[in-house]
Structures are given as structure tokens and as C-alpha cells.
Amino acid sequence: MRKIYIMLLMSSVVLLTACDMLDIQPTGKVIPQTLAEYRALIATAYKTVPDARGLACFRSDELYVKDDSWEQDRYGKIECWDDFSAPGQTTAFEWKNFYSIMFTVNYTIEERESINEGSEEDIDQLIGECYLLRAYMHFLLVNLYGQPYTRPGALETTAVPLKLNSDINEILKKNTVAQIYEAVIADINEAEKLINKESWEQKFSYRFTTLSVKALRARVYLYMGQWDNAYQAAEAILAEKNTLEDFNAETYTLPNNYQSVENITALERGMSSNYTQAAVLSEALASLYKEGDLRLDAYFKAADKNGYRFSQKSGKDDFRCSFRVGEMYLNSAEAAAQSDKLPQARTRLLELMQKRYTPEAYTVKATAVNAMTQEALIQEILDERARELAFEGHRWFDLRRTTRPHIEKVLKGGTYVLEQDDSRYTIQIPREAIAANPELSN
């Protein structure tokens, strides 16, 4: 049975669509043996990483679904947190692909000693990528379907199953939030021992590197509220890579473009082309961009005849970004502010702002930031995250891990409310997954 599954995975390499970032050749083998064949197998795992972070942002306050029956059918229920009525044509959140990816990486980890025709260093690199990909998949899953780590009492609640082996007959049961985060950190630690590539040529920029390990570590610690650890991890990245796109320059590349100087790992599309066609800039987010902030017009198209402003930083494969430098500035600033390192927090925040505002607006911002209390500074950093990382798949997760605020949306047909700390800040496991495995309902 497992051999059949591997055969199907290898066959799927042939079906991958062309992409500037991918250089994958089918092997034509049933069971991989060489490093090149295992590399092709892992390429299928990379290729199928879900765009779940972007879909989740339809639940946030940064966008709304345009008034179109096709888009409303697919995303309208997500937008108004309707998780319990019949799904109809609603786009389903991913489940199967997460666990398919983990089967692939688990199989590769288990077969490490059988991989041939490759150097020890290159095999270590591949296995390290498997550990980091497994960590990232579990991290995404627990932040979709589990309670936020920082929510009181969350650690002992069950979330999703850990999958740490390639046994396809195993009946999966849900693990606790604490267990999942422990496994994520353990896998990051293993990846750190093995990953040795500092960078890839641009067409392979979806693959993990030594900086990817540090970037995921910084994000995980931030979500855990482990501020000192998050600060140290973010600073470790910025010591090696800290160049930002300058929006005051004559030309620049949008920072979530895989060709940007800010790119660390260009794996996920924050929002697919389907999402981009449906997602309209909300007034709540638009109001956060003040005069002199160059990002509003850089990130969003001018309003069309219906008043809709659509994203300019998504919808194409060029916009693949799992980790980038701008996020690391914000991770460092937030972690520093939360741990009472206010000068360091101000420094990192203002370094980012200087590249995003006109000189005149930056001067005003710098004066304001330098006068802020700790509480005001933290709020400013969170607002800056909303502005800087807009439509990149961060907003829903940021709302969940921080205050889980009251959100009210006035949409066609009525007013919808997500209460403070509402249970719907955690998404329900898909019905089809529970139908296939009733253990997931417990």
C-alpha cells in the first residue's frame, strides 16, 4: 500500500505546472532511491503547501468579499464566520494536503539511510528541509484548528493530530496545543542541525535555508508569547540579512515578491489568484494608512467603478512569500516592546518605517514613536504589521494570537459580529475529515 502511495506521489511530479521558481524533472521510478529522486519527491510536497493563511484572512478585518454571486458563494460564509450551516459551494479549508505532505516528509526521513548518489551534506540538507516542512505544516494546522497558544487554558485543549511517521493505517487522534508546539520546536531544532544551505539560486527560492529555520523559530516563539526567544531569533536573522525595499527609491520590488531583496523563503502564495479576484481592501485597513504612507498605493490598485481596491501584491506566482525581512523587523520590534526593551523596539520599527513613508511623514512618525508609552508602542507595532503585511496571510493569525478583538462587519444582507475572544477564532475541522475519521470529532 505504501509503495502504491509513493508511486502516485512520484507520478504527480509529471503533473506539476511550470513555474519560474521550480526546476523539477520526473524520475519515472516507482520508489525513490537516489538523492535526485527524493529531491523530486519533496518538490511535490513543497508544491502542494496550501494557501490556507490567505483563505483564513477572509475572516479578518483587512478585506471583504466583493458583491458578486460567484465570489459570495465561495467566500461569503467564511467572511461572516458562518461555520455551521450547510457549506454549499463555500471553499473548504485544507486538511488532506497537510497530511499528504507530512506523509511524504516522514517517509523521506525514515528512508534517510537508503538514499544514495548524493553527498552527506546534500542529504542532510534534504532531511533538514523535511523536518522544517513538518514543523511548518503542524504550526499552520494548530493555528487554523487549535486554540491560540496564548489564550488562557489553551495548552491542554486538543487541536489536530500530530503525524510523525509514514504509517498510513494509523488512526489519528487529536493532540493538545502544548504537544503540537513541543513537536514543532523539536523539529525546528532537528532542522537546524541538518540544514546547511545559506541560500539557493532564485529558481529554488521556495526551498528552506539556514535563515528559514531562524525565521520559523522567530514566528513560532512570537505566537507563543516567548518574547526573549522571539527577539533573539529575529535579531539572529537581521544580523545576517537586513536589507529592506526602499519605497522612496525610483524603482523597487514589492517586498513579498520572490525576487525581492527581502525574500527569505518564497514558498506560499499569501493569496491565490482566486482569492485576489474576490478580496477587496476594507475601510478598516485603509484607514490605518495615514498621509505619507507609500504602501497604500503600492499595495493596492486604484478604486474601480464600484469603489473596489484590489491587491497588487498577490494573485501571481511571483508573489510567493513565507518569510521575509520586513516581517523580521516587526517580530523583533514586537518582542522587544513586550519584554520592555523599548529603545530596541523603536529602532527596529523606525528602520522599517523609514523605507515605507515619505521623508516628511517619517519625521512625524519618528517623533510620535519616540514619545510612545510601552502600551502605545505595542499597539503601533501591531498596526504596522497590519499595514506592512497586508494580504500576505498574516492578519487572521495576528488577531488570534493577540487580543482576539470584537469585529463587526456590515455586509449585504445584515450585520455580523465576532465577539471578543469568540470561539469562532478557531476554525472547525472540515466535515469531510471528520467523516473519514470520527476520532477528529472528539
Side-chain angles (χ1 to χ4, degrees), residues 147-155 157 404 421:
Q147 291 192 23
Y149 189 95
T150 52
R151 187 172 188 259
L155 298 188
T157 62
R404 297 172 293 283
D421 203 21

Side-chain angles (χ1 to χ4, degrees), residues 243-255:
T243 303
L244 292 162
E245 296 286 352
D246 187 351
F247 283 33
N248 286 288
E250 286 187 18
T251 60
Y252 59 86
T253 301
L254 288 176

Side-chain angles (χ1 to χ4, degrees), residues 266-283:
L267 176 55
E268 298 159 281
R269 293 174 298 178
M271 303 194 78
S272 72
S273 57
N274 288 335
Y275 305 167
T276 299
Q277 293 168 17
V280 180
L281 172 66
S282 72
E283 179 56 37

Side-chain angles (χ1 to χ4, degrees), residues 10-212:
M10 294 305 293
S11 299
S12 69
V13 175
V14 182
L15 302 177
L16 290 174
T17 55
C19 172
D20 290 339
M21 291 180 289
L22 297 178
D23 185 15
I24 304 165
Q25 298 297 321
T27 67
K29 303 270 185 174
V30 174
I31 301 295
Q33 296 177 338
T34 68
L35 175 64
E37 290 164 356
Y38 274 98
R39 172 57 76 184
L41 181 62
I42 297 308
T44 68
Y46 276 128
K47 184 69 177 179
T48 53
V49 170
D51 302 325
R53 290 195 297 130
L55 183 61
C57 283
F58 281 102
R59 302 171 74 89
S60 77
D61 57 356
E62 72 175 352
L63 59 85
Y64 65 95
V65 181
K66 75 177 181 182
D67 187 10
D68 173 273
S69 59
W70 177 253
E71 311 298 359
Q72 286 291 330
D73 284 346
R74 290 193 290 181
Y75 309 112
K77 284 183 168 53
I78 300 172
E79 176 184 35
C80 61
W81 316 291
D82 182 358
D83 300 329
F84 300 101
S85 64
Q89 299 178 42
T90 299
T91 300
F93 281 90
E94 285 275 6
W95 182 266
K96 182 176 67 175
N97 277 352
F98 282 113
Y99 285 95
S100 175
I101 289 166
M102 285 193 280
F103 172 87
T104 303
V105 298
N106 287 335
Y107 176 82
T108 304
I109 291 169
E110 292 164 3
E111 296 295 317
R112 191 247 185 271
E113 297 305 319
S114 69
I115 302 174
N116 55 50
E117 296 183 24
S119 69
E120 193 75 12
E121 183 178 52
D122 288 344
I123 294 172
D124 280 350
Q125 169 68 32
L126 182 67
I127 300 302
E129 291 175 50
C130 289
Y131 276 110
L132 200 64
L133 192 53
R134 187 170 76 181
Y136 194 36
M137 294 304 97
H138 280 129
F139 176 70
L140 293 177
L141 280 165
V142 76
N143 278 284
L144 288 167
Y145 303 114
Q147 291 192 23
Y149 189 95
T150 52
R151 187 172 188 259
L155 298 188
E156 300 311 313
T157 62
T158 57
V160 298
L162 281 169
K163 185 58 178 172
L164 304 175
N165 60 58
S166 64
D167 181 0
I168 59 175
N169 296 312
E170 179 184 22
I171 303 299
L172 297 178
K173 297 183 179 181
K174 293 194 290 188
N175 293 83
T176 66
V177 170
Q179 289 169 334
I180 294 161
Y181 271 87
E182 287 168 8
V184 167
I185 294 296
D187 277 350
I188 292 172
N189 291 339
E190 286 301 311
E192 191 168 45
K193 297 173 188 175
L194 296 167
I195 290 179
N196 48 70
K197 290 283 290 186
E198 295 182 358
S199 63
W200 293 97
E201 55 185 298
Q202 201 167 73
K203 64 182 177 180
F204 297 135
S205 57
Y206 63 91
R207 296 178 181 173
F208 291 137
T209 63
T210 54
L211 279 181
S212 306

Side-chain angles (χ1 to χ4, degrees), residues 322-336:
S322 290
F323 309 109
R324 66 177 176 87
V325 170
E327 182 201 347
M328 296 305 121
Y329 273 88
L330 290 163
N331 290 355
S332 176
E334 183 182 346

